[in-house]
Amino acid sequence: MANDCLFCKIARGDIPAKKLYEDDEVVAFWDIAPQAPRHFLVIPRKHLAGPAAVTAADQSLIGKVLRVGAELAAKEGAASFRMVTNEGAEAGQTVFHFHLHVLGGRAMAWPPG
Ligand code: 5GP
Ligand code: ZN
């Protein structure tokens, strides 16, 4: 847990977010600036700065993040969806706590910008 981390604060409930799901390991909440009709984030409660910080010890946790994201996408009616996780500012990372974007509800272009 990092005291000054926005997503740690959301996970703890110190900052409000519209949550779709939470348990003892992961939290999912709607993105505050959605880039698709359905856009939510899935995070581990454990503070990992991003995908590059994932170690072998975190493998099953991050697998769970992906599974929960896919299950929530289905629950929200998105049979087709995109999952994205950014590493580093150049890739567009702005919050340095691992998060999986799940975007659905519209056609997606490829490659991403
Ligand atoms: P990144 O750019 O790091 O991959 O994604 C960070 C995401 O977090 C962005 O899509 C941004 O809209 C979202 N975000 C930033 N601050 C907040 C917040 O306070 N609440 C919620 N729900 N989403 C946030
Ligand atoms: Zn954090």
Side-chain angles (χ1 to χ4, degrees), residues 8 14 21 44 52-53 61 65-66 70 72 75 83-84 91 97-98 109:
C8 282
D14 292 352
Y21 177 80
L61 176 61
V65 166
L66 194 145
L72 290 173
K75 196 174 165 193
M83 292 176 158
V84 175
H97 179 127
F98 184 101

Side-chain angles (χ1 to χ4, degrees), residues 6-7 10 15-18 29-35 39 41 86 92-96 99 101:
L6 176 64
F7 285 179
I10 285 178
I15 288 179
K18 219 177 146 198
F29 53 95
W30 295 103
D31 197 291
I32 205 167
Q35 301 301 310
H39 181 184
L41 306 173
N86 298 318
Q93 188 178 12
T94 58
V95 179
F96 292 85
H99 50 283
H101 293 262

